[in-house]
Amino acid sequence: MKLSLPLAMLLALSLAPAARAANEADYKSAYSAAEAASKEAASLRHQWTVTVSALAAAKKAGDGGDFNRAVAAAKEAEALAKASIFQAISEKEAWKAMEIR
Amino acid sequence: MKARSSILLGSLSAALVAFALTSARVVAADKIDPVADAKAFQNFFFQKFPTVKHEDFVNGPYSMNEDMKRQWQEKEEFPPYEFALDAGKEMFATPFKNGKTYADCFPNGGIGIRQNYPYFDEKEGKVVTLELALNRCREANGEAPYSYVKDEMASLTAYMAFTSRGKPMDIKIPDDPRALAAFENGKRYFYTRRGQMNFSCASCHVQSPGERIRAEILAPALGILNAMPIYRSEWSGMGTTSRRFVTCNSQTRAVPLDPQADEYRDVEYFLSYVANGLPISGPGARP
Amino acid sequence: MTAFTGPFATRRLILQGAASVALLGLGNLPFTPARAAANDKYPEEAFKQKSEADAVKALYGKTAEPSDKVKLDAPEIAENGGVVPISVTTTLDKVTSISFFVAENPSALAASYKIPDGTIPSIANRLKMAKTTNVVAIVEADGKLYSATKEVKVTVGGCGG
Amino acid sequence: MASSIRVRATANGDITEVQALIQHPMDTGLVKDAKGELIPAHYIQQLKFECNGKDVFVADWGTAVSKDPYVKFSFKGAKKGDDLKVSWTDNKGGSDTTTAKIS
């Protein structure tokens, strides 16, 4: 129940219609947003392996000039990082529910 | 449509009830009480698996499934960790370049002491695991540290575990707020969900021990570290507790911490303490 | 050996040495040629065969018939495909060979054992299995082949990563 | 270097039970290493047990035998204190041998 919010967010992001072909500027901004979110997730020590690989894929596509794919991958990485941040914050209290007492 | 809304209503009220319950307990549970935690932890498993003999829990999946137990016993006739054990025994006795040996770093010459690790080091204010103590001993004697995850470190800990086989786990928590905090931090790590799979250690080892996870049977959390280090057929080699934590993390798609991160040391402290009284069964053989 | 022997002398020494070894070798050859050559040859061909049927033909040159006198013991579900404990025992007598086949492994023949007389026809070993498939044990007793088959489920462990 | 063969032979009555565990990678030649290159096949092909000058057991192994292979069998005609010679050869010409006393 609690986690449906980030999944919905993930879906919303991927459905957003790409108005026109992405260019380097779009890639740079999407990538830095994803990188910031990923750094925060890492600082909370809740980073996901899939975030790291999506970020790497974005960089690889970006370096290769395929900005469409790079922006999509960066957006996915950002969404994943945000979901792991949400998980870290909600788990600060939620873990107690499972504790054996 | 009607059914869906009733489900929604049902889950909302359940959440409310759960919230009320936890908040009441949260207030009561602020005081960290390892003794009560250990008792509750052990009783949970003793009641959930009444037919399993208490000391059998340390055999992990093999205490949960007959077919697996038979395969294990067949392997134990001539166990695959035999080579690591001999290598560890030889290494343990080989003096460092400065002539000292591991025996000089450990109480009782390092023999039959594995059940007291990890311990809380009051000078350092942190939990110290057996692997950490071994590497510190090496560095103190001018030797390069070993990898915390496998090979030499696993052979050394295999031999030290072997010398403690059968002795009950005996972890102490000194009356020091930092030790209690480390215990609590380990407990929190154990119950915290992580990775894209959104699993915590408890999701598998408390909620569904004895169930299948593809080819393997999930081990109960009680006594799960008593068999460390383990020879896993999947790794076709030995692995220490840290290797198990690191690989478990990456399986749930959580980025692993470094092998001797504080969280890993604390969760090892927590899991070992709640298994006090259960025998050391390392080195172990696992799927 | 004086220092001036030079290459010719050492060559002569080597030749003499070789001759004597050959003589020695010849000396005890007649006692064990038949037995050693017959059953020590490594069945290279049989291990190359992909399917179980071809492997059996290459190894024994005849086919086996199932028999309940061959008791094959293998797990329901292998805890790990790399280390599957499999054992066989039989009440048949005059057993001369026992072999294990894993039907859908890259090559079916896994292991083949020669049982000299005086050795009890019962073996345990640990084999690798690529996937869920039939394990077949074949016993050669008094020149005829008897077999037992059991399916072993094999898959990977853990939750994936 | 310690021998790669661990063997336990125990006689009770006329039957001697033998267990052997051998340290060997048993590479199939079908597995890739971290860099993606195929690890060449490297496996024990023949393992022989001799007692009182007679072969008591000969194993011909393929690539489907597990890493650090194990085998158990028993045979008649030997007694406590006899020597059991164990030797193996692999497809790369490697080999090792050891002699154990039947206990």
Side-chain angles (χ1 to χ4, degrees):
Chain A
M1 242 279 286
K2 286 189 300 311
L3 254 188
S4 57
L5 176 63
L7 292 186
M9 206 167 65
L10 195 66
L11 272 179
L13 274 177
S14 56
L15 288 182
R20 46 165 175 67
N23 57 34
E24 177 138 20
D26 302 334
Y27 159 61
K28 281 267 182 292
S29 72
Y31 187 81
S32 63
E35 205 176 23
S38 156
K39 279 209 170 52
E40 193 191 344
S43 67
L44 292 167
R45 293 167 86 76
H46 256 267
Q47 182 79 287
W48 292 357
T49 49
V50 281
T51 312
V52 174
S53 39
L55 208 57
K59 187 163 189 334
K60 190 159 173 281
D63 294 350
D66 180 347
F67 297 124
N68 274 346
R69 211 144 55 83
V71 167
K75 283 212 172 355
E76 191 202 344
E78 186 187 357
L80 288 168
K82 287 217 162 80
S84 65
I85 293 164
F86 176 85
Q87 177 191 59
I89 293 163
S90 65
E91 278 302 305
K92 283 225 174 346
E93 285 308 315
W95 68 270
K96 294 196 172 85
M98 266 223 291
E99 185 194 350
I100 298 174
R101 289 183 184 285
Chain B
M1 251 311 281
K2 219 172 115 0
R4 212 165 57 72
S5 60
S6 62
I7 296 169
L8 259 180
L9 258 179
S11 62
L12 259 181
S13 53
L16 270 177
V17 164
F19 182 71
L21 257 180
T22 48
S23 60
R25 268 179 301 178
V26 160
V27 167
D30 273 349
K31 192 177 82 49
I32 304 166
D33 182 352
V35 174
D37 285 349
K39 183 170 264 311
F41 201 88
Q42 296 202 354
N43 285 340
F44 173 85
F45 285 96
F46 294 157
Q47 276 141 26
K48 187 166 178 149
F49 302 100
T51 59
V52 177
K53 290 208 292 296
H54 293 184
E55 66 276 12
D56 254 0
F57 277 103
V58 299
N59 297 327
Y62 307 125
S63 62
M64 298 278 126
N65 177 295
E66 264 322 302
D67 183 38
M68 291 279 269
K69 184 166 192 163
R70 229 163 35 79
Q71 289 181 62
W72 173 54
Q73 276 158 344
E74 209 286 316
K75 263 198 308 190
E76 280 291 301
E77 288 206 6
F78 224 145
Y81 50 72
E82 192 86 11
F83 299 108
L85 205 46
D86 293 346
K89 183 172 186 166
E90 208 182 310
M91 282 158 57
F92 199 81
T94 319
F96 302 127
K97 286 195 279 296
N98 64 8
K100 287 233 183 69
T101 68
Y102 292 104
D104 306 321
C105 302
F106 287 92
N108 194 24
I111 304 303
I113 56 160
R114 181 263 180 273
Q115 69 280 4
N116 303 327
Y117 285 79
Y119 70 96
F120 186 81
D121 185 315
E122 296 190 61
K123 279 196 307 310
E124 190 184 336
K126 276 193 181 173
V127 172
V128 173
T129 63
L130 185 59
E131 290 86 3
L132 216 52
L134 279 164
N135 260 347
R136 284 180 181 166
C137 173
R138 289 184 59 77
E139 276 157 351
N141 289 291
E143 298 283 343
Y146 285 136
S147 133
Y148 280 115
V149 181
K150 47 190 167 76
D151 303 336
E152 300 87 353
M153 185 57 83
S155 301
L156 275 174
T157 47
Y159 172 62
M160 290 181 83
F162 187 71
T163 61
S164 288
R165 250 191 192 179
K167 291 186 178 217
M169 186 71 94
D170 177 17
I171 304 293
K172 297 191 180 44
I173 299 187
D175 189 10
D176 173 336
R178 294 169 305 170
L180 292 172
F183 176 84
E184 187 71 7
N185 186 37
K187 179 165 72 174
R188 179 184 311 111
Y189 186 88
F190 180 78
Y191 288 108
T192 300
R193 289 176 176 279
R194 57 181 57 81
Q196 189 181 27
M197 300 267 200
N198 200 32
F199 287 146
S200 68
C201 315
S203 318
C204 289
H205 298 293
V206 169
Q207 283 179 338
S208 41
E211 308 281 335
R212 267 211 185 273
I213 180 160
R214 297 197 287 190
E216 283 152 12
I217 296 280
L218 286 170
L222 180 59
I224 201 164
L225 297 181
N226 288 43
M228 285 296 174
I230 48 176
Y231 178 98
R232 285 201 70 217
S233 306
E234 192 165 319
W235 300 333
S236 68
M238 292 296 293
T240 58
T241 307
S242 332
R243 180 174 188 177
R244 183 64 279 193
F245 289 157
V246 164
T247 45
C248 242
N249 277 168
S250 44
Q251 284 205 32
T252 60
R253 296 190 187 151
V255 170
L257 310 170
D258 24 299
Q260 289 292 325
D262 289 353
E263 289 93 329
Y264 287 164
R265 287 156 69 171
D266 290 347
V267 73
E268 186 175 338
Y269 194 42
F270 165 74
L271 278 174
S272 304
Y273 180 80
V274 295
N276 268 354
L278 295 182
I280 294 293
S281 62
R286 292 289 185 275
Chain C
M1 263 284 284
T2 62
F4 306 113
T5 52
F8 293 112
T10 39
R11 203 164 56 79
R12 203 174 336 102
L13 268 181
I14 295 163
L15 280 183
Q16 268 168 4
S20 55
V21 164
L23 269 179
L24 248 179
L26 272 179
N28 59 34
L29 205 56
F31 294 120
T32 58
R35 268 169 39 76
N39 64 22
D40 270 11
K41 194 171 66 54
Y42 178 71
E44 193 78 37
E45 257 324 289
F47 277 108
K48 286 208 184 73
Q49 302 308 319
K50 181 157 177 16
S51 81
E52 183 213 335
D54 298 345
V56 173
K57 193 139 51 46
L59 194 61
Y60 294 114
K62 38 189 186 276
T63 56
E65 43 161 296
S67 149
D68 51 19
K69 292 204 179 63
V70 178
K71 203 175 128 339
L72 172 61
D73 187 9
E76 269 303 300
I77 299 173
E79 70 172 23
N80 181 286
V83 182
V84 185
I86 294 173
S87 57
V88 72
T89 187
T90 177
T91 48
L92 295 164
D93 52 24
K94 293 210 274 299
V95 170
T96 49
S97 161
I98 293 181
S99 299
F100 292 91
F101 300 81
V102 179
E104 286 164 72
N105 263 3
S107 43
L109 176 59
S112 169
Y113 298 93
K114 298 182 177 69
I115 313 286
D117 45 29
T119 298
I120 293 154
S122 159
I123 298 173
N125 56 47
R126 295 170 188 163
L127 302 179
K128 292 180 201 165
M129 292 181 63
K131 54 189 208 161
T132 299
T133 182
N134 280 343
V135 172
V136 180
I138 289 188
V139 172
E140 182 187 41
D142 197 12
K144 287 173 84 275
L145 295 185
Y146 304 88
S147 72
T149 304
K150 185 172 188 225
E151 189 196 53
V152 176
K153 292 193 184 61
V154 171
T155 177
V156 289
C159 61
Chain D
M1 220 285 284
S3 157
S4 65
I5 306 170
R6 295 280 185 292
V7 60
R8 236 182 257 153
T10 45
N12 32 49
D14 185 28
I15 296 178
T16 306
E17 189 189 74
V18 179
Q19 290 180 315
L21 185 76
I22 300 161
Q23 191 163 19
H24 196 281
M26 299 304 278
D27 293 323
T28 58
L30 308 169
V31 175
K32 288 196 171 66
D33 62 16
K35 290 190 294 306
E37 285 134 26
L38 268 182
I39 301 168
H42 181 206
Y43 59 96
I44 291 177
Q45 292 189 317
Q46 196 164 74
L47 169 69
K48 221 189 279 185
F49 293 79
E50 285 159 69
C51 184
N52 300 336
K54 184 166 85 66
D55 280 357
V56 290
F57 193 68
V58 176
D60 293 326
W61 279 345
T63 54
V65 175
S66 300
K67 174 179 190 274
D68 295 341
Y70 164 83
V71 70
K72 178 166 94 170
F73 69 98
S74 2
F75 68 100
K76 294 197 198 116
K79 53 186 177 343
K80 229 178 269 301
D82 285 359
D83 279 344
L84 176 67
K85 179 163 171 286
V86 188
S87 51
W88 58 260
T89 53
D90 68 21
N91 66 323
K92 281 186 170 166
S95 70
D96 193 359
T97 181
T98 191
T99 306
K101 275 256 182 290
I102 297 179
S103 64

